[in-house]
Amino acid sequence: MYTYKKPSPYKRPLFIVAALLLALAAVLAVLELTNTTHLFHKNSPTKPAVSAGQSTKGEKTATTNSSQQNSGTPASTPSGSANTSQPGDTKSNTVTTADLITPFGNFVSAHANVPSSTALSSVCNTTVGATCKIAFTSGTLTRYLSSETTDSGGSAYWPSWTPNSIGLTPGTWQVSAVATLNGQTKTGTDATNLEIKP
């Protein structure tokens, strides 16, 4: 007696080819979604990382034109501003199209009951090549530390200044950092006010 045996679907060549194509499509989809390959989409630009720290202090930022670099002569600071020039500090004014990062960092090294003659320090972290200044506001009065250009780590430093050197009187001052780059301006505000004691 003859019995009909149905052929196994796994031996059909068309089914095998379809399974291989499906597996290949799945692998390709995973590679595209994890940005390993860029066959069907462009590599999206990433924002520059801010790696602020003492190890990057004063390092030059990349420039496209060497005439954009400072000549090494320290810029004059306005009267009442903190002098922040240090040996080895080489900043550059870099023309960049990067998005400006809202400033963050240790805008002032002490906050409570600070005598007006105490030496303080400040740091502003933002986009590489941006200009940053620290602002102190009390009522309608605002005082600033001098503007500084961020180094290759995206940081600007004011290593030693005193409240009375920039005209901060006893009382409460709101602290913020104002960064500018290619017409963009962003402000970061310290969560804690600076209290200058009489």
Side-chain angles (χ1 to χ4, degrees):
M1 181 173 145
Y2 176 77
T3 57
Y4 175 75
K5 209 176 197 184
K6 190 175 181 180
S8 172
Y10 298 108
K11 294 186 178 177
R12 293 183 186 158
L14 187 58
F15 180 79
I16 293 172
V17 169
L20 287 175
L21 287 175
L22 188 60
L24 180 63
V27 168
L28 194 56
V30 168
L31 291 174
E32 283 292 307
L33 290 174
T34 58
N35 282 329
T36 305
T37 62
H38 302 288
L39 300 174
F40 300 107
H41 74 283
K42 291 183 180 180
N43 188 8
S44 58
T46 57
K47 289 187 177 182
V50 175
S51 58
Q54 286 296 101
S55 61
T56 61
K57 182 166 175 32
E59 288 183 6
K60 294 180 183 177
T61 54
T63 59
T64 56
N65 185 346
S66 61
S67 67
Q68 294 171 335
Q69 293 183 353
N70 288 344
S71 62
T73 307
S76 60
T77 56
S79 174
S81 297
N83 182 4
T84 60
S85 297
Q86 292 183 24
D89 272 0
T90 322
K91 312 273 178 154
S92 65
N93 297 322
T94 305
V95 176
T96 179
T97 58
D99 287 335
L100 183 62
I101 298 169
T102 300
F104 64 95
N106 195 10
F107 299 154
V108 63
S109 57
H111 290 89
N113 294 321
V114 178
S116 59
S117 60
T118 299
L120 301 173
S121 62
S122 297
V123 177
C124 171
N125 301 313
T126 184
T127 307
V128 173
T131 300
C132 192
K133 61 183 176 181
I134 307 294
F136 302 89
T137 305
S138 180
T140 59
L141 187 62
T142 302
R143 298 284 187 244
Y144 296 95
L145 291 176
S146 60
S147 294
E148 292 290 327
T149 303
T150 57
D151 61 18
S152 64
S155 297
Y157 298 89
W158 296 263
S160 183
W161 60 274
T162 61
N164 60 10
S165 70
I166 61 168
L168 299 185
T169 55
T172 302
W173 295 82
Q174 183 183 44
V175 184
S176 58
V178 181
T180 57
L181 180 69
N182 297 332
Q184 304 171 75
T185 300
K186 290 193 178 175
T187 303
T189 303
D190 198 322
T192 308
N193 290 331
L194 172 63
E195 301 283 343
I196 304 293
K197 73 177 186 178

